[in-house]
Amino acid sequence: TDGAVTVTQGKLEGLSLSCVELDGGADYIEANTALQAEMRTSFSWSAWVRVDDGVTAANQTILGSRNDGTDRLNLYVATDGRLSLDYVSNNDSKSAIDNSVTFANGVNAWKQVVATLSYTDSSNAVMKLYVNGEALTLDGTNNGAFSGNMGNYTTSTEYYFGAENNNGSARYFLNGGLRDVRLYDFTLSVDQVASLYSGSHNVTPKYWWKIDEGTGVTATIEDYGTGTDADGTGVSLAWTNGTLDLDSTLTIAANGTL
């Protein structure tokens, strides 16, 4: 910050200054869980991502799992820079794709992305995408209207972060930064997504990989969620550990905390 900061009441919080730096070629995180039960009903994924080039020759996966092709979930930045979500359950498939460019050509600032899939019944579900707390308008064809049974999603293929797990092989690597990956076992509402972005949504997700370890090529990525512990494993990771620099003064009054 360039000026004085005064906390008189309440709490001042900041995002983690540590994150993985992914080179778009060979580094990613293994989640060590396939999340089959969670992908069979309503859910919400969220992550903070920084894309070093929004328009590339290949898709850039934020998180994904694909078995032999009959079941898949892939949240990614498409080659034209649009945030996209593909979901396949027992060969029934649908995509949700931003109608506009989400990540511009060249380096992009950090953004929080959220993808939700809301179970309606055994033949319908609705997919939505959000960036920085705001819902995206989806394109006319890839509008997220899934016509299939989520309950048929069946896979033992674990999730990768920063790459798609293509039946045991990593592909579609992310070039940029990644942190704070969360999975909620319900559909976040519009207001909840907004509060998650602002930092006021205090519900702990079922799975929560903060990705703030700060060191380790093969670091264990702690899961802080409420569900069965699912610590991840780094593959060829590099890290950035930032600092908080104040050019003026920081004042914490009697009723404030940092």
Side-chain angles (χ1 to χ4, degrees):
T1 178
D2 294 330
V5 177
T6 302
V7 182
T8 57
Q9 187 174 7
K11 185 178 182 181
L12 174 65
E13 294 183 288
L15 295 173
S16 170
L17 297 173
S18 296
C19 70
V20 289
E21 286 289 343
L22 306 173
D23 66 6
D27 40 2
Y28 57 95
I29 294 169
E30 299 174 346
N32 295 320
T33 179
L35 303 170
Q36 175 178 282
E38 289 75 15
M39 298 300 102
R40 285 180 165 179
T41 187
S42 298
F43 61 81
S44 303
W45 282 102
S46 74
W48 280 89
V49 59
R50 190 201 70 244
V51 177
D52 286 349
D53 191 358
V55 179
T56 57
N59 295 334
Q60 299 184 75
T61 296
I62 299 168
L63 56 93
S65 168
R66 178 185 184 274
N67 56 12
D68 58 2
T70 60
D71 302 273
R72 181 192 192 199
L73 184 142
N74 194 34
L75 178 62
Y76 62 100
V77 181
T79 56
D80 58 4
R82 294 194 290 171
L83 183 65
S84 306
L85 174 67
D86 295 340
Y87 179 79
V88 184
S89 176
N90 194 31
N91 284 316
D92 290 322
S93 63
K94 192 62 181 180
S95 296
I97 300 178
D98 189 359
N99 192 51
S100 303
V101 173
T102 322
F103 296 89
N105 193 17
V107 178
N108 287 253
W110 282 97
K111 295 182 180 181
Q112 185 201 53
V113 301
V114 174
T116 68
L117 211 165
S118 180
Y119 178 91
T120 304
D121 54 40
S122 59
S123 58
N124 292 281
V126 178
M127 307 157 70
K128 294 183 179 181
L129 297 175
Y130 302 80
V131 169
N132 292 346
E134 297 185 357
L136 300 181
T137 299
L138 305 180
D139 80 27
T141 302
N142 301 293
N143 60 6
F146 177 71
S147 299
N149 189 354
M150 294 180 67
N152 291 332
Y153 182 96
T154 303
T155 184
S156 59
T157 304
E158 67 174 302
Y159 275 79
Y160 288 174
F161 305 147
E164 183 184 33
N165 183 359
N166 181 31
N167 204 25
S169 299
R171 67 176 184 178
Y172 301 148
F173 298 93
L174 177 68
N175 184 10
L178 183 66
R179 64 186 181 206
D180 197 20
V181 175
R182 306 182 185 207
L183 175 61
Y184 293 89
D185 57 347
F186 58 90
T187 303
L188 291 167
S189 68
V190 173
D191 288 343
Q192 287 172 327
V193 171
S195 65
L196 180 63
Y197 173 65
S198 68
S200 59
H201 185 68
N202 297 320
V203 177
T204 302
K206 187 170 185 178
Y207 296 98
W208 186 6
W209 298 271
K210 296 183 180 180
I211 315 180
D212 62 355
E213 282 70 18
T215 186
V217 173
T218 58
T220 296
I221 309 300
E222 182 70 24
D223 168 26
Y224 293 88
T226 61
T228 303
D229 197 36
D231 293 344
T233 304
V235 177
S236 303
L237 296 182
W239 296 85
T240 290
N241 296 300
T243 58
L244 176 62
D245 297 320
L246 293 172
D247 293 332
S248 186
T249 60
L250 172 64
T251 303
I252 307 295
N255 295 323
T257 61
L258 175 64

